[in-house]
Amino acid sequence: MKVSIVGVTGYSGLELVRLLNNHKNAEIVSVHASKDIGSALSEIYPYLKGICDLEISAFDSQQIMQKADLVFLAAPSGVAKNLAEDFVEAGFPVIDLSGDHRLPASLYEKWYQKTAPAKETLAQFTYALSEYTDVKGKKFIANPGCYATAVELALIPLLKAKAIDLDSVIVDAKSGLTGAGKALSASSHFVNVHDNYVTYKLNRHQHIPEIVQELQLFDSGLKHIQFSTSLLPVNRGIMATCYVRLRQPLSQDAIRDLYQSCYADKFFVRIQKELPELHSVIGSNFTDIGFAYNPLTNVLTVVSVIDNLLKGAAGQAVQNFNLMFGFDETAGLLTVPSYL
Amino acid sequence: MKVSIVGVTGYSGLELVRLLNNHKNAEIVSVHASKDIGSALSEIYPYLKGICDLEISAFDSQQIMQKADLVFLAAPSGVAKNLAEDFVEAGFPVIDLSGDHRLPASLYEKWYQKTAPAKETLAQFTYALSEYTDVKGKKFIANPGCYATAVELALIPLLKAKAIDLDSVIVDAKSGLTGAGKALSASSHFVNVHDNYVTYKLNRHQHIPEIVQELQLFDSGLKHIQFSTSLLPVNRGIMATCYVRLRQPLSQDAIRDLYQSCYADKFFVRIQKELPELHSVIGSNFTDIGFAYNPLTNVLTVVSVIDNLLKGAAGQAVQNFNLMFGFDETAGLLTVPSYL
Amino acid sequence: MKVSIVGVTGYSGLELVRLLNNHKNAEIVSVHASKDIGSALSEIYPYLKGICDLEISAFDSQQIMQKADLVFLAAPSGVAKNLAEDFVEAGFPVIDLSGDHRLPASLYEKWYQKTAPAKETLAQFTYALSEYTDVKGKKFIANPGCYATAVELALIPLLKAKAIDLDSVIVDAKSGLTGAGKALSASSHFVNVHDNYVTYKLNRHQHIPEIVQELQLFDSGLKHIQFSTSLLPVNRGIMATCYVRLRQPLSQDAIRDLYQSCYADKFFVRIQKELPELHSVIGSNFTDIGFAYNPLTNVLTVVSVIDNLLKGAAGQAVQNFNLMFGFDETAGLLTVPSYL
Amino acid sequence: MKVSIVGVTGYSGLELVRLLNNHKNAEIVSVHASKDIGSALSEIYPYLKGICDLEISAFDSQQIMQKADLVFLAAPSGVAKNLAEDFVEAGFPVIDLSGDHRLPASLYEKWYQKTAPAKETLAQFTYALSEYTDVKGKKFIANPGCYATAVELALIPLLKAKAIDLDSVIVDAKSGLTGAGKALSASSHFVNVHDNYVTYKLNRHQHIPEIVQELQLFDSGLKHIQFSTSLLPVNRGIMATCYVRLRQPLSQDAIRDLYQSCYADKFFVRIQKELPELHSVIGSNFTDIGFAYNPLTNVLTVVSVIDNLLKGAAGQAVQNFNLMFGFDETAGLLTVPSYL
């Protein structure tokens, strides 16, 4: 299949190039950005020399629809919705990595502080957490957010099993800096990030409604989560540390069974014996999950880790691409965590 | 006053040298270690050349008592208790930075997996969280643990005000690597720490009973806390992120008043308007505290940050030293956070 | 082809697992180490779960020769030479990533301070810098050192062109910590590496004779190089900054031509317009080279960068493997630099 | 003495606050910036709460001359020269940390690509490398650049001793990111710096003429140096690795004597037995120097390290301040390297 990437010079766009370059069922036929039009991608990003020497084009929906069979939108939230319109109208497949098509209009406007896409457009998009959503034959995919992916995969098994107090969910999530995008700001200046740890958007992060919405599919009784996000002085990786109270005590084995029953046939989710660390997954599309129950406090701690640019963005987008078209789920995604 | 430092080549010992070198009321008269005996400290640690060129001596309690007026024990837990014996017997002042004299024997043996000091010895030590303990005239100080300091200073005001559900305390604490000491292990190898974030000793950290014991002084109804510790890929700094449920909703101002009433006259605790970050305090003896209440979940998030080697170890030891002898509380401790 | 990896739990061994796992012409049939015998590799290294679940075996040359067609020796220098003996005697193919078979006995003993392998054994090994050595049909490969690879690829074109003063070569090389291996030492403790930059083994690094020996193949007049090595606070990556004086001034274009003529058909060496940075190559088998000439000083600065674990170790080993057996040179090595 | 700081919110300005806050002979009476006028400095930089709560003022030369006895200009190059004019005209003491008054007009305009200050103004400024320049009674100080300081202190002793070939100087210098200032750019974005090492401004760095000019004071025969600068993924610290050829071989002891004879009575320059590392000096005003001679290549490698914000900027400015007015040279500067 021929694919185009819009927003190729953002972090998710560049990751899509890496993944699709080694994908047996996909060929990148055009890459689009708002700057450096006419230059080879590898001229602006010399690390891609000999790998992707395509010329950067301006966005042109008609041209994309002529050349390609599907478009990945790796543009920022607030921009992607406008870019998506022509494709949706024409029934041309879209995988949108932004937050623009994940929430109903009212929630989107509240949490993103931007005008929402038209309701008819939103209605056509499917929020696709690869392990739980059937996307076969779907045309318009809203790819999940990075934090949301880590949290949802950690908590859904507990909700499915009715194992926890629904008002007890507290998530302390941490991310590397690529999660914040390449925009320049004091908060992404090296000096302010290095040797630091900064909590931001407490109680205000736009992934909160996304997570709640997805979790409610598994237990509508869940109303809120307590959610904090912090910046780790690393480039890649998210750890979501989730604290929940159990309705009744469970053994470590019982908890493991509960997770295994959800993920036994899911290649990209691994239940680990020990708590996973960032190194467990960086450079791969895996989500690793571990946990420990404390009978004294009745708190179960669940830790999930992902590479925010892979399972948290471009990797899951390719996974959804594979599932939409019936390709091998792992095509283009068999990179081993770099670990070192 | 003349002081000796035992365990000078550990991280806390080296920090004591830095602080006491600039202390108007203290003079370091001897430094002791178990290795490199006979070498100048500055020969082993060239960064101290011209600053502290004292010769490293073997430990000798009699010699210390002849030369000095007080001894700082910066030896590891399990070692310090043996070194302390002679001094306690002789009534010679000791500030012990290890965990050996903080807990009653039974708790010590359970959480440290070591034989406890004699009960009579333990009884003579005062656990001294500088802002809450009156150490004037005391002779034997058990200096608090690093995580314990950050958590206790964050939570005591809430307990004093009876503001929180006592079974709701969840602490997600993170520390830089100096907190783990200089012992060589796979978990402190650069390659395993860098670009990583690792949760360890979940539900098993030895600071748990220390924190509970201290908090119970302010509300004996508190029985347990849920406590996790993780390693940040930085050298210095602890952030304790504390999640508690309020007995009844409080405004941001009311919470601020509650903290200000505890710390208005405490130079080294600062209540900040925004959530503090590690950079706020690294290189100083400050504890910075910030908070935010979420009415949807009824969870108050309190964030406290310290430099684990200063307020979390050597700094608080010097602060206790100052308070014991009526020196200016800030003597030797007026370093400004390095921030950059 | 069936391959065994000896020393699988070292950094180079783990990288071989990553690469060979995705290699269409190779199958890993056994992995060997001196510890954790009998455990699954993925039990000790959970990041490999589902990727390489082979059991770790003790080293057994007979068993390897029965099961496999080639063995990768990823054991430390000083160990590999002993492990190699049986294979060499039996004429069984070996790719040795250690330094044991790169130098003549006398130089080896001088620079490594270890007893050299037998001369007859040494004579059978081919030092194989992939871009310059014809290994087709060779059986025993001494894979180059990491620093040596970066320096040799940067300087050979200049020597071939007789472009430089032979006594003017000064190399300031920097490496990430994986280059130092996983042995525990104060110099690899996180606290000592982080926020630091440390120059080590000045004038004593064992890659000096290896580099000189290889460069002499292209101009025997070169006798010595000035070579320094330092540790960067990163996990992966080497930059070799080479300063040489030109025999006569050359334009930037002329220098480029000189490099292009050497590497035009070498996929894994890229001549870049700007000076390359570590990010240009990390996660890939590429060597990127850039340069700038200063007419005021008559000094040409050449900068080459590699991922020390890939082109500097496991990657070049796989490249040599491919070339030995006539596979596609890039098989298993098409990973794109991670860049972010 | 009463001092004002202009450009207080830049990195050097903030460091001046840290140092002067603990200076027994200085009192900060006003701080000036171009943003956040009217806010307390500690409101914008909460880490300064309780340390420096002065209000940020707009720049006003008259007001400064009324309130203060001296002004530190910590504004960027190109801005400082304009701010300095009124003070120079009025004969009011200035210590300028920028590059604006270090070079003759023609060199300034060539290397800075900015219009130079008037020649009469330039003539009044003294370039003051504290260890070599007599500033007693001087009024207008051009404080040296960070790289320049590290290189000059390393090389002057060799020039004074006529020990080296004057056309052989090659300097490979590395700096942490604070050296690049707080301006936002892709090159200072965390993601681009972390895990990277980037060489920049090769043969074009504006400290080249400054270094040559100063070195020529000690041997006018020196015409050029080969100089490269790279960014280390750390916040603070410069290492200058200098390669020079000796006119005739010297023993390690002879070289040491040569350095000791220059620096025996200079508190802030330490000749170390081993090559120094960044940790040796970070957080202090020290310059540590080490060296090793290679008889095979006749190259002497000299390594000097400084904290670029202290000895490389604010620290040397305070040192010059002390020397100008006859205060203890170490006043405000006795901080011990943080090391950990």
Side-chain angles (χ1 to χ4, degrees):
Chain A
M1 278 190 63
K2 292 174 176 167
V3 303
S4 292
I5 301 172
V6 176
V8 70
T9 59
Y11 292 155
S12 296
L14 291 170
E15 284 299 275
L16 284 170
V17 172
R18 285 180 77 216
L19 297 175
L20 294 168
N21 186 62
N22 286 331
H23 193 297
K24 64 187 171 192
N25 306 114
E27 180 196 357
I28 305 172
V29 293
S30 69
V31 296
H32 304 265
S34 53
K35 283 203 307 185
D36 299 314
I37 313 294
S39 298
L41 184 61
S42 59
E43 195 170 343
I44 310 300
Y45 293 94
Y47 80 95
L48 290 173
K49 189 175 176 183
I51 294 164
C52 181
D53 299 309
L54 283 172
E55 192 177 287
I56 300 173
S57 306
F59 176 76
D60 180 332
S61 56
Q62 298 311 315
Q63 206 182 28
I64 290 173
M65 291 192 276
Q66 277 162 24
K67 278 191 181 175
D69 304 312
L70 176 142
V71 65
F72 287 94
L73 296 182
S77 298
V79 174
K81 65 185 180 189
N82 302 321
L83 305 179
E85 284 175 5
D86 291 353
F87 302 112
V88 174
E89 202 167 308
F92 183 87
V94 173
I95 298 178
D96 177 16
L97 284 77
S98 86
D100 284 355
H101 302 96
R102 297 179 195 152
L103 296 176
S106 59
L107 281 177
Y108 178 82
E109 300 200 337
K110 174 179 171 195
W111 289 86
Y112 282 80
Q113 300 282 311
K114 298 177 198 293
T115 308
K119 291 203 175 165
E120 313 78 62
T121 307
L122 283 175
Q124 301 204 51
F125 273 84
T126 301
Y127 180 85
L129 184 67
S130 303
E131 278 70 20
Y132 288 100
T133 312
D134 183 1
V135 296
K136 186 107 193 217
K138 291 282 192 294
K139 275 195 166 170
F140 306 111
I141 298 295
N143 207 57
C146 51
Y147 284 119
T149 296
V151 176
E152 291 162 16
L153 291 173
L155 294 180
I156 287 172
L158 298 172
L159 291 169
K160 285 181 71 173
K162 307 283 179 200
I164 62 169
D165 284 345
L166 294 177
D167 63 355
S168 74
V169 178
I170 293 178
V171 179
D172 189 297
K174 306 91 177 165
S175 174
L177 258 282
T178 50
K182 70 191 291 191
L184 302 179
S185 71
S187 60
S188 65
H189 191 291
F190 181 81
V191 171
N192 294 330
V193 175
H194 182 67
D195 281 341
N196 207 356
Y197 184 81
V198 180
T199 302
Y200 68 106
K201 286 195 186 176
L202 184 60
N203 301 328
R204 293 182 292 109
H205 198 284
Q206 68 276 11
H207 288 181
I208 294 174
E210 179 180 339
I211 296 167
V212 170
Q213 168 181 272
E214 179 73 6
L215 296 183
Q216 286 177 336
L217 298 180
F218 299 90
D219 192 330
S220 59
L222 182 138
K223 298 303 179 200
H224 301 292
I225 61 167
Q226 177 63 33
F227 184 66
S228 75
T229 49
S230 299
L231 289 179
L232 282 165
V234 305
N235 278 4
R236 287 167 182 258
I238 282 177
M239 180 183 285
T241 312
C242 308
Y243 302 97
V244 293
R245 291 185 197 271
L246 295 189
R247 289 201 181 150
Q248 52 187 48
L250 291 171
S251 70
Q252 189 80 356
D253 280 351
I255 299 166
R256 173 174 305 278
D257 288 348
L258 186 158
Y259 276 96
Q260 290 288 14
S261 72
C262 284
Y263 295 122
D265 63 342
K266 304 296 183 188
F267 181 78
F268 288 118
V269 180
R270 305 188 294 193
I271 310 306
Q272 298 283 11
K273 282 189 191 160
E274 307 290 334
L275 297 185
E277 53 192 43
L278 293 190
H279 278 192
S280 307
V281 295
I282 301 302
S284 81
N285 195 50
F286 288 111
T287 303
D288 277 14
I289 299 176
F291 40 79
Y293 176 63
N294 183 349
L296 294 176
T297 58
N298 189 32
V299 171
L300 173 68
T301 305
V302 182
V303 172
S304 69
V305 291
I306 61 170
D307 183 320
N308 58 298
L309 291 177
L310 292 170
K311 184 62 183 175
Q316 187 161 215
V318 171
Q319 191 180 354
N320 280 327
F321 168 78
N322 292 339
L323 295 169
M324 285 165 79
F325 298 98
F327 303 139
D328 181 350
E329 184 180 11
T330 66
L333 296 171
L334 279 176
T335 52
V336 179
S338 59
Y339 186 61
L340 302 172
Chain B
M1 279 190 61
K2 293 175 175 168
V3 303
S4 293
I5 302 171
V6 176
V8 69
T9 58
Y11 292 155
S12 296
L14 290 171
E15 283 298 277
L16 284 169
V17 172
R18 285 180 77 215
L19 297 174
L20 294 168
N21 186 62
N22 285 331
H23 193 296
K24 64 187 170 193
N25 307 114
E27 181 196 357
I28 306 171
V29 294
S30 69
V31 296
H32 305 263
S34 53
K35 284 202 308 185
D36 300 314
I37 313 293
S39 298
L41 184 60
S42 58
E43 194 170 345
I44 310 300
Y45 294 94
Y47 80 95
L48 290 173
K49 188 174 176 182
I51 295 165
C52 182
D53 299 310
L54 284 171
E55 193 178 287
I56 301 173
S57 305
F59 176 77
D60 179 332
S61 56
Q62 297 312 314
Q63 206 181 27
I64 288 172
M65 290 191 277
Q66 277 162 23
K67 279 192 181 177
D69 305 310
L70 176 141
V71 65
F72 287 94
L73 296 182
S77 298
V79 174
K81 65 185 181 191
N82 302 322
L83 305 180
E85 284 175 6
D86 291 352
F87 302 112
V88 174
E89 203 168 308
F92 182 87
V94 173
I95 297 179
D96 176 17
L97 284 76
S98 87
D100 283 356
H101 302 98
R102 297 180 196 152
L103 297 177
S106 60
L107 280 177
Y108 178 83
E109 300 200 336
K110 175 179 169 193
W111 289 86
Y112 283 80
Q113 300 282 314
K114 299 177 197 292
T115 309
K119 290 202 177 168
E120 314 78 63
T121 307
L122 281 176
Q124 301 204 51
F125 273 83
T126 301
Y127 180 85
L129 183 67
S130 304
E131 278 69 20
Y132 288 99
T133 313
D134 184 0
V135 296
K136 186 105 196 218
K138 292 281 191 296
K139 276 197 164 167
F140 306 111
I141 298 295
N143 207 57
C146 51
Y147 284 120
T149 296
V151 175
E152 291 163 14
L153 291 174
L155 294 180
I156 287 172
L158 298 172
L159 291 168
K160 286 181 70 173
K162 307 283 180 201
I164 62 170
D165 284 346
L166 295 176
D167 64 354
S168 76
V169 178
I170 293 177
V171 179
D172 189 296
K174 305 91 177 163
S175 175
L177 258 282
T178 51
K182 72 191 288 192
L184 301 179
S185 71
S187 61
S188 63
H189 191 291
F190 180 83
V191 171
N192 294 330
V193 175
H194 181 68
D195 281 341
N196 207 356
Y197 183 82
V198 180
T199 301
Y200 68 106
K201 286 195 186 176
L202 185 59
N203 301 327
R204 292 182 291 109
H205 198 284
Q206 69 275 12
H207 287 182
I208 294 174
E210 179 180 338
I211 295 167
V212 169
Q213 168 181 272
E214 178 73 5
L215 295 183
Q216 286 177 335
L217 297 181
F218 299 90
D219 192 330
S220 60
L222 183 138
K223 297 303 177 202
H224 302 293
I225 61 166
Q226 177 63 31
F227 184 65
S228 74
T229 48
S230 300
L231 288 178
L232 281 166
V234 304
N235 278 4
R236 288 167 181 258
I238 281 178
M239 181 183 285
T241 311
C242 308
Y243 302 97
V244 294
R245 290 183 198 271
L246 295 190
R247 289 201 182 150
Q248 52 187 48
L250 290 172
S251 70
Q252 189 80 356
D253 280 351
I255 300 165
R256 173 172 305 279
D257 287 348
L258 187 157
Y259 276 95
Q260 289 289 15
S261 70
C262 284
Y263 296 123
D265 64 341
K266 303 297 183 188
F267 181 78
F268 288 119
V269 180
R270 304 188 294 193
I271 309 307
Q272 298 282 10
K273 284 190 189 158
E274 307 290 334
L275 298 184
E277 53 191 45
L278 293 191
H279 278 192
S280 306
V281 296
I282 301 304
S284 81
N285 196 50
F286 288 110
T287 303
D288 278 14
I289 299 177
F291 40 80
Y293 176 63
N294 182 349
L296 294 176
T297 58
N298 189 31
V299 171
L300 173 67
T301 305
V302 182
V303 171
S304 69
V305 290
I306 61 170
D307 183 321
N308 58 299
L309 291 177
L310 293 169
K311 184 63 183 174
Q316 188 161 215
V318 171
Q319 190 181 355
N320 280 328
F321 168 77
N322 292 338
L323 295 170
M324 285 165 79
F325 298 99
F327 302 139
D328 180 350
E329 184 180 12
T330 67
L333 296 172
L334 279 177
T335 52
V336 179
S338 61
Y339 185 60
L340 300 171
Chain C
M1 277 190 62
K2 292 175 176 168
V3 303
S4 293
I5 301 171
V6 176
V8 69
T9 59
Y11 293 155
S12 295
L14 290 171
E15 283 298 277
L16 284 170
V17 172
R18 284 181 78 214
L19 296 175
L20 295 168
N21 186 63
N22 286 330
H23 193 297
K24 65 188 172 192
N25 307 113
E27 181 195 358
I28 306 171
V29 294
S30 69
V31 297
H32 305 264
S34 52
K35 284 202 308 185
D36 299 315
I37 313 294
S39 298
L41 183 61
S42 58
E43 195 170 344
I44 310 301
Y45 294 94
Y47 80 94
L48 290 172
K49 189 174 175 183
I51 295 165
C52 182
D53 299 309
L54 285 171
E55 192 177 287
I56 300 172
S57 305
F59 176 76
D60 179 332
S61 57
Q62 297 312 314
Q63 205 183 27
I64 289 172
M65 291 191 275
Q66 277 162 22
K67 278 192 181 174
D69 305 310
L70 176 142
V71 65
F72 288 94
L73 296 182
S77 298
V79 174
K81 66 186 179 190
N82 301 323
L83 305 179
E85 284 175 5
D86 290 352
F87 302 112
V88 173
E89 201 167 309
F92 182 88
V94 173
I95 297 178
D96 176 16
L97 284 76
S98 86
D100 284 356
H101 302 97
R102 298 179 195 152
L103 297 177
S106 59
L107 281 177
Y108 178 83
E109 300 201 336
K110 174 179 171 196
W111 290 86
Y112 283 80
Q113 300 282 313
K114 299 178 197 290
T115 309
K119 291 202 176 167
E120 314 78 62
T121 307
L122 282 175
Q124 301 204 52
F125 272 84
T126 301
Y127 180 84
L129 183 67
S130 303
E131 278 70 20
Y132 288 99
T133 313
D134 183 1
V135 296
K136 187 108 194 215
K138 292 283 193 293
K139 275 196 165 169
F140 306 110
I141 299 295
N143 207 57
C146 49
Y147 285 120
T149 296
V151 176
E152 291 162 16
L153 291 174
L155 294 180
I156 287 172
L158 298 172
L159 292 168
K160 285 180 71 173
K162 306 283 181 203
I164 62 170
D165 284 346
L166 294 177
D167 64 355
S168 75
V169 179
I170 293 178
V171 180
D172 189 297
K174 306 90 178 167
S175 175
L177 258 283
T178 51
K182 71 192 289 190
L184 301 180
S185 71
S187 61
S188 64
H189 191 290
F190 180 82
V191 171
N192 294 331
V193 175
H194 182 68
D195 282 340
N196 207 356
Y197 184 82
V198 180
T199 301
Y200 69 106
K201 286 195 185 177
L202 185 59
N203 301 327
R204 292 182 291 107
H205 198 285
Q206 69 277 11
H207 287 182
I208 294 175
E210 179 180 338
I211 295 167
V212 169
Q213 167 181 271
E214 178 73 6
L215 295 183
Q216 286 176 335
L217 297 181
F218 298 90
D219 192 330
S220 59
L222 183 138
K223 298 302 178 201
H224 301 293
I225 61 167
Q226 177 63 32
F227 184 65
S228 75
T229 49
S230 300
L231 288 178
L232 282 166
V234 304
N235 277 5
R236 288 168 182 257
I238 281 178
M239 181 183 285
T241 312
C242 308
Y243 301 97
V244 294
R245 291 184 198 269
L246 295 190
R247 290 202 180 151
Q248 52 188 48
L250 290 172
S251 69
Q252 190 78 357
D253 280 351
I255 301 165
R256 174 174 304 279
D257 287 348
L258 186 158
Y259 276 95
Q260 290 289 14
S261 71
C262 284
Y263 295 122
D265 64 340
K266 304 296 183 188
F267 181 78
F268 289 119
V269 180
R270 304 188 295 193
I271 310 307
Q272 298 283 10
K273 284 189 191 161
E274 307 289 334
L275 298 184
E277 53 192 43
L278 293 190
H279 277 192
S280 305
V281 296
I282 302 301
S284 82
N285 196 50
F286 288 110
T287 302
D288 278 13
I289 298 177
F291 39 79
Y293 176 63
N294 183 349
L296 295 177
T297 58
N298 190 31
V299 171
L300 173 68
T301 306
V302 182
V303 171
S304 70
V305 292
I306 60 170
D307 183 320
N308 59 298
L309 291 176
L310 292 169
K311 183 62 182 175
Q316 187 161 216
V318 171
Q319 189 181 355
N320 279 328
F321 169 77
N322 291 338
L323 295 169
M324 286 164 79
F325 298 99
F327 303 139
D328 180 351
E329 184 179 11
T330 67
L333 295 173
L334 279 176
T335 52
V336 179
S338 60
Y339 186 60
L340 302 172
Chain D
M1 279 191 59
K2 293 175 177 169
V3 304
S4 292
I5 301 171
V6 176
V8 70
T9 58
Y11 292 155
S12 296
L14 291 170
E15 283 299 276
L16 284 170
V17 172
R18 286 181 75 214
L19 296 175
L20 294 169
N21 186 63
N22 286 332
H23 193 297
K24 64 187 170 191
N25 306 114
E27 180 196 358
I28 306 171
V29 294
S30 68
V31 296
H32 304 265
S34 53
K35 283 202 309 183
D36 299 314
I37 313 293
S39 297
L41 184 61
S42 59
E43 194 170 343
I44 309 301
Y45 293 95
Y47 80 94
L48 290 173
K49 189 176 175 179
I51 295 165
C52 181
D53 298 310
L54 284 172
E55 193 178 287
I56 300 173
S57 305
F59 176 76
D60 179 333
S61 57
Q62 297 311 316
Q63 205 181 29
I64 289 172
M65 290 192 276
Q66 276 162 23
K67 279 191 180 176
D69 304 312
L70 175 142
V71 65
F72 287 95
L73 296 182
S77 298
V79 173
K81 65 185 179 189
N82 302 320
L83 305 179
E85 284 175 6
D86 291 352
F87 302 113
V88 174
E89 202 168 308
F92 182 88
V94 173
I95 297 178
D96 176 17
L97 285 77
S98 86
D100 283 355
H101 302 97
R102 297 179 195 151
L103 296 176
S106 59
L107 281 177
Y108 179 82
E109 300 201 337
K110 174 179 171 194
W111 289 86
Y112 283 81
Q113 300 282 312
K114 298 177 199 291
T115 309
K119 290 201 174 167
E120 312 78 62
T121 307
L122 282 175
Q124 301 205 50
F125 272 84
T126 301
Y127 180 85
L129 183 68
S130 304
E131 278 69 21
Y132 288 99
T133 313
D134 183 1
V135 297
K136 186 108 193 217
K138 290 283 192 294
K139 276 197 165 167
F140 305 110
I141 299 295
N143 207 57
C146 50
Y147 284 120
T149 296
V151 176
E152 291 163 15
L153 291 173
L155 294 180
I156 287 172
L158 298 173
L159 291 169
K160 286 180 72 173
K162 307 281 179 201
I164 63 171
D165 285 345
L166 294 178
D167 64 353
S168 76
V169 179
I170 294 177
V171 180
D172 189 296
K174 305 91 177 164
S175 174
L177 259 281
T178 51
K182 70 191 292 194
L184 301 179
S185 71
S187 61
S188 64
H189 190 291
F190 180 82
V191 171
N192 294 332
V193 175
H194 182 67
D195 281 342
N196 207 357
Y197 183 82
V198 180
T199 301
Y200 68 106
K201 287 195 186 176
L202 184 61
N203 301 328
R204 293 182 292 110
H205 197 285
Q206 68 276 13
H207 287 182
I208 293 175
E210 179 180 338
I211 295 167
V212 170
Q213 167 181 272
E214 179 73 5
L215 296 183
Q216 286 177 336
L217 297 181
F218 298 90
D219 192 329
S220 59
L222 182 138
K223 299 303 179 200
H224 301 292
I225 60 167
Q226 178 62 32
F227 185 64
S228 75
T229 48
S230 300
L231 289 178
L232 282 165
V234 306
N235 278 4
R236 288 168 182 258
I238 281 178
M239 180 182 287
T241 312
C242 309
Y243 302 97
V244 294
R245 289 183 198 271
L246 294 189
R247 289 201 182 151
Q248 51 187 49
L250 290 172
S251 70
Q252 189 81 356
D253 280 352
I255 300 166
R256 172 174 305 280
D257 288 348
L258 186 158
Y259 277 95
Q260 290 289 15
S261 71
C262 284
Y263 296 121
D265 64 343
K266 304 296 182 188
F267 181 78
F268 288 118
V269 180
R270 304 189 295 193
I271 310 306
Q272 298 282 10
K273 283 190 192 160
E274 307 289 334
L275 298 185
E277 53 191 44
L278 294 191
H279 278 193
S280 306
V281 296
I282 301 301
S284 81
N285 196 50
F286 288 111
T287 302
D288 278 15
I289 299 176
F291 40 80
Y293 176 63
N294 183 348
L296 294 177
T297 58
N298 190 32
V299 171
L300 172 67
T301 305
V302 182
V303 172
S304 69
V305 290
I306 60 171
D307 183 320
N308 58 299
L309 291 177
L310 292 170
K311 184 62 181 174
Q316 187 161 216
V318 171
Q319 190 180 354
N320 279 328
F321 168 78
N322 292 338
L323 295 170
M324 285 164 80
F325 298 99
F327 303 138
D328 181 350
E329 184 180 12
T330 66
L333 296 172
L334 279 175
T335 52
V336 179
S338 60
Y339 185 60
L340 301 171

